[in-house]
Amino acid sequence: MTSTATLPAEVAEAAAPPEQGRDPHARRFGLPVATCLVMGNIIGGGIFLLPASVAPFGTISLVAFGVLTLGAIALALVFGRLAERHPQTGGPYVYARAAFGDFAGFLAAWSYWITAWVSNAALAVAAVGYLCVLFPGVGAHKWSMCLAALAVQWLPALANLAGTRYVGAVQVVATVLKFAPLLLVAVGGLFFFDPANLGPFRATDQSAAGAVSASAAILLFSYLGVESATVSAGEVRDPARNVGRATILGTVGAATVYLLGTVAVFGLVAHDRLVSSTAPFTDAVNAMFGGTWGGTVVACAAVISMLGALNGWTLLSAQTPYAAARDGLFPKAFEAKRRGVPVVGVIVTVALASALTVYNYTAGSQGVFESLVLITTFTATVPYLLSTAAQIYFLLSGQRERVHPGRLARDGALAALAFGFSMWLVAGSGYAAVYQGVLFLFAGVLVHAAMSARKHRAAVSPAG
C-alpha cells in the first residue's frame, strides 16, 4: 500500500529532536558542517589516483568530467527539492517509501546499508596503503596491516558514539586538512602549468564518444555521496532549507576540486609519466617544489581524507537503518539513539566492516574482496534511482503539496536528467556487479518478509 503522508513522529523529529535538546554531546548540524559532510563523503581517497586513471584517454577525459558534473549537480538539485518536502532522517529511504510504499523504502534502506559497511571496509584497507608510506613498519606483516585497518575503522566509530557534536567537529577538521594540499595542487599548480605536458586530446584509437564513455566509466563513482546531507536530515538545523543547500554546495565544491586538481596534474606531470604514475599528486607536488617530500604530504592528506570519509559514512550507515527501524522495516534495536547517534547501527555496521576486513587479510582472496567492493557501486545507485523516480512520481501525480506549480517544467527536466545519470551509474558498474548486486538485494527480500510479518502481527494483536 503506497504511503503518501509524512508520519507525525518524523515531523516531530525534523522539527526538534527531543534528545538533542537536552544532551550536550548531541548537536544539530548547521549549513557549514552539513556541507562538509557532503564534500567529505564524496571525496574519499580515490581523488589521489584519478588523474593517472584517466590520463590514458587523453585530455578528452576532462569532457567526461564535465558531463558527469552536470549529472551529479542535477541529482543534488533533485535531492534538495525532495528534502524540502521530506526533511527527515533517512533521505532516499524516506522518499522511496513516501512514493512507492514500504517495500521500495526497504530496498532503498537495505541497499544503502550494504553499500556503507562494505565501502567502509574498502576505505580502511586503502588507507593502510598510505599509512605504510608514513610508517613502513605497518606493512611488515599482514596482521599489523589488519590491526591498522581495524583502528582506522574504529576511531571514526568512537567519534560517532561520542555524539553528533563530535562527528561534526571531526568532519570539519578533516575536510579542512585534506583540502589544504588538494587546493595547493589545484590552484597553486596552475602557476606552474605547462601546456606541453598535456599530451594528446585523444590518446587512444577510440572515437570521441567512445573515449568519453570509457573515461566516464572510471569517473562515474567519484560522485557517490551526494545524498549525504539528506540521509542525516534529522540532525540538520532547519533541514527543509539547509539540506538542499548543503547538498548543492557540497557537490559543486567537490566537483571544483576534482576538475581543478585533475587539470593541474595534467599540466604539471608529462603525459607519458602520468599514464604510469602510481601517485600523481606526489609527482605534481615534486614538480612544483622539487625534492621528494611530496609523497609524505600526499600520504598524510590521503589518510586524513579517508578518515574524514569514514567518519561521515559511519554516521550515514546508521541513519538509514534507524529511519527504517522507526517504521518497523528494520529490527527495533536499530532505533536506539544516544547523543543523537543511532548506536546499534554504528556498532553493527563497524562490526560487519571489521569482519570483512579481517577476512580480506586472512583469506588472501583479493578477488572476492574486490568483487564485493564492485557490487557496492551498483547497490549505491539503487537509492538514487528510487529517489529520482519518486520525484518524477510526485511531479506527474499532481500532488500539489509536494510540487511547486511554477517549477514543474524545471523540476521535471532535472528529475529526468538525474534519473538518466543514475542509470548511467548502473550501466557503468558492469554486468557482474549488477548481477551480484541484484542477488544482494533479493537476499533482503527475506528480511523484509520477516519484518513485515512482525509488523502485521503487532497491528492486529489485541494489545495493538
Side-chain angles (χ1 to χ4, degrees), residues 67 70-71 73-75 78 388 392 412-423:
V67 173
L70 291 176
I73 291 174
L75 187 59
V78 170
T388 53
I392 292 171
L414 285 172
L417 181 59
F419 186 86
F421 176 67
S422 302
M423 286 295 292

Side-chain angles (χ1 to χ4, degrees), residues 128-158:
V128 170
Y130 289 101
L131 278 173
C132 291
V133 175
L134 300 174
F135 308 102
V138 171
H141 193 273
K142 69 177 182 180
W143 283 114
S144 60
M145 296 174 69
C146 182
L147 289 174
L150 293 176
V152 165
Q153 290 176 59
W154 279 94
L155 285 174
L158 292 176

Side-chain angles (χ1 to χ4, degrees), residues 29-260:
F29 301 147
L31 178 61
V33 175
T35 302
C36 286
L37 184 67
V38 176
M39 293 183 70
N41 285 357
I42 292 177
I43 300 181
I47 187 174
F48 296 98
L49 290 175
L50 270 181
S53 299
V54 297
F57 300 100
T59 52
I60 195 172
S61 58
L62 298 176
V63 176
F65 245 133
V67 173
L68 290 174
T69 298
L70 291 176
I73 291 174
L75 187 59
L77 288 168
V78 170
F79 276 129
R81 291 282 184 266
L82 289 167
E84 288 178 9
R85 302 296 180 181
H86 301 274
Q88 297 90 40
T89 293
Y93 157 75
V94 173
Y95 314 144
R97 181 170 178 262
F100 308 121
D102 285 353
F103 184 61
F106 174 82
L107 286 181
W110 178 260
S111 59
Y112 198 81
W113 188 51
I114 290 172
T115 301
W117 64 264
V118 176
S119 296
N120 282 2
L123 269 172
V125 171
V128 170
Y130 289 101
L131 278 173
C132 291
V133 175
L134 300 174
F135 308 102
V138 171
H141 193 273
K142 69 177 182 180
W143 283 114
S144 60
M145 296 174 69
C146 182
L147 289 174
L150 293 176
V152 165
Q153 290 176 59
W154 279 94
L155 285 174
L158 292 176
N160 272 262
L161 294 174
T164 51
R165 175 178 183 176
Y166 304 100
V167 174
V170 170
Q171 200 64 32
V172 171
V173 172
T175 301
V176 171
L177 290 179
K178 80 175 172 184
F179 277 108
L182 290 175
L183 289 175
L184 173 67
V185 174
V187 179
L190 298 179
F191 293 96
F192 299 86
F193 192 90
D194 184 356
N197 289 328
L198 290 176
F201 180 66
R202 281 191 356 226
T204 66
D205 295 331
Q206 296 170 289
S207 65
V212 169
S213 296
S215 53
I218 296 173
L219 300 169
L220 275 173
F221 311 106
S222 302
Y223 287 106
L224 295 181
V226 298
E227 75 294 338
S228 301
T230 69
V231 175
S232 293
E235 319 308 329
V236 178
R237 287 195 297 270
D238 191 7
R241 182 182 182 211
N242 284 334
V243 167
R245 294 169 67 195
T247 300
I248 296 165
L249 289 173
T251 303
V252 171
T256 301
V257 172
Y258 275 150
L259 198 55
L260 285 180

Side-chain angles (χ1 to χ4, degrees), residues 391-392 394-396 398 403-414:
Q391 175 71 338
I392 292 171
F394 293 143
L395 292 171
L396 296 181
V403 179
H404 191 295
R407 297 195 305 234
L408 182 61
R410 183 178 64 181
D411 285 356
L414 285 172

Side-chain angles (χ1 to χ4, degrees), residues 310-406:
L310 279 165
N311 180 64
W313 277 107
T314 299
L315 176 64
L316 299 190
S317 67
Q319 295 286 24
T320 300
Y322 161 77
R326 292 192 60 179
D327 298 326
L329 301 180
F330 254 61
K332 189 172 179 60
F334 284 89
E335 193 178 344
K337 238 184 181 186
R338 289 184 60 192
R339 299 179 173 182
V341 175
V343 289
V344 174
V346 169
I347 293 172
V348 171
T349 297
V350 75
L352 288 170
S354 297
L356 183 56
T357 301
V358 172
Y359 170 77
N360 175 63
Y361 285 106
T362 56
S365 181
Q366 291 287 345
V368 175
F369 185 73
E370 290 168 358
S371 296
L372 284 171
V373 173
L374 188 60
I375 290 169
T376 67
T377 61
F378 166 72
T379 58
T381 61
V382 173
Y384 293 176
L385 283 170
L386 289 171
S387 296
T388 53
Q391 175 71 338
I392 292 171
Y393 167 77
F394 293 143
L395 292 171
L396 296 181
S397 59
Q399 299 186 42
R400 294 186 179 276
E401 74 278 8
R402 288 188 170 91
V403 179
H404 191 295

